[in-house]
Every structure is written in structure tokens, then in C-alpha cells.
Amino acid sequence: MRIGIGHDTHRLAEGRPLILGGVRVEHERGLVGHSDADVVLHAVTDALLGAAGLGDIGDAFPDTDPAYRDADSRLFLRDTLARLNRAGWRVVNVDVTVFAQRPKLGPVKGRIRANLAELLGLPADAVNVKAKTGESVGHIGRGEAIGCQAAALIERASE
Ligand SMILES: [Zn+2]
């Protein structure tokens, strides 16, 4: 078995959709990035790459590559899962914490969890999504950014 961690932060701005874990969340602002800036999928992708010893999301999908401009981040996760499978790994479980002052994520945590489980091909109880605020301090607490931490456990497909 191997464990990996991932962390990501993106800035919030008006005129952008807010997409978390592949789920469109109603909010007056969204995250800014080269791709769709889905912090949850980026942190999960990094956790999986880390567990398999495959570097990071920036190596795998460079933000200087115009192919990834405004890219749907589900592509990064699917491609990473395929790489893990080719290397003989399968995902055991994933645990995620999203840090957002607003919007309140309580009502959408379940949808994000279900969507992540579907994307990862895992049962719902092998994926967990927790939501925290920024305690009204720092860039997250001031509502300038949303952050995400993820941990992933993988094992040999033959185990
Ligand atoms: Zn990112």
C-alpha cells in the first residue's frame, strides 16, 4: 500500500463558475486558473500521483500547455487513474477537506462526495468530503480563495 497527499488553492473572482469536485456550485464568484480551477480535483489528482510516485499535476499537465486552457479537470483525474491502472495500482480510499469561507458547503458536500466516488470508480464509503471555513482569517477566511487538502491510499491491483 502507498499513501499520497495533495494540496491546492485557487483565487476567487467574479465572472467564473465555481466547480468543486466536478460539481457546479451556485455562487457569485468562481475559481481562477489556467484550467477550470477545480481545487478539489487538483488536490485529489496530486494525492494519487503522489501515492504512485508519479510527480505532480504540474509535471503531468503543464499550465503552459494551451491544450489545458479552461480544461475540465475531470480529464486530469481520469488520465491519472489510467496511469495508475497501467502501473498496476488501484485506489483504496480518498479523504478530502475543502476550505471555503463562502459559500457554505454543507448542502453540497454530499453531491461532491457522490461525484468523486463515481469519477474514481469507488463505493461512496471509500470517499469522504469534509468542509471547513477559514475561521474569518487569512486569504480563505477573507473569501479571496478556496483551498483543498486530499489524502489517497492505493494498493497493488493484485492485492
Ligand atoms: Zn489547481
Side-chain angles (χ1 to χ4, degrees), residues 6 14 19 49 60 78 81 87 90 92 100 104 116-117 125 129-130 134-135 138-139 152:
E14 284 176 18
I19 301 166
L49 289 168
R78 289 201 185 101
L81 276 176
R90 70 174 196 90
V92 178
K104 289 281 172 228
L116 275 179
D125 70 353
V129 175
K130 309 183 295 296
E135 290 292 335
H139 58 290

Side-chain angles (χ1 to χ4, degrees), residues 8-10 35 37-39 42-43 57:
D8 198 26
T9 306
H10 281 273
S35 65
D38 188 330
V39 275
H42 293 182
I57 194 169

Side-chain angles (χ1 to χ4, degrees), residues 5-75:
I5 60 167
H7 182 269
D8 198 26
T9 306
H10 281 273
R11 188 168 57 83
L12 280 160
E14 284 176 18
R16 294 276 297 185
L18 178 59
I19 301 166
L20 296 172
V23 172
R24 174 75 187 261
V25 178
E26 274 313 310
H27 193 47
E28 67 271 19
R29 293 185 297 159
L31 296 171
V32 180
H34 184 69
S35 65
D36 65 8
D38 188 330
V39 275
V40 176
L41 293 189
H42 293 182
V44 170
T45 298
D46 253 351
L48 293 171
L49 289 168
L54 292 171
D56 67 31
I57 194 169
D59 299 332
F61 312 98
D63 66 6
T64 49
D65 188 336
Y68 302 127
R69 187 170 175 77
D70 292 324
D72 179 340
S73 295
R74 289 178 297 186
L75 179 149

Side-chain angles (χ1 to χ4, degrees), residues 20-21 23 105-118 124 127-131:
L20 296 172
V23 172
L105 296 178
V108 294
K109 271 191 310 189
R111 275 167 61 208
I112 295 171
R113 179 185 191 171
N115 199 54
L116 275 179
E118 189 183 332
V127 178
N128 193 66
V129 175
K130 309 183 295 296

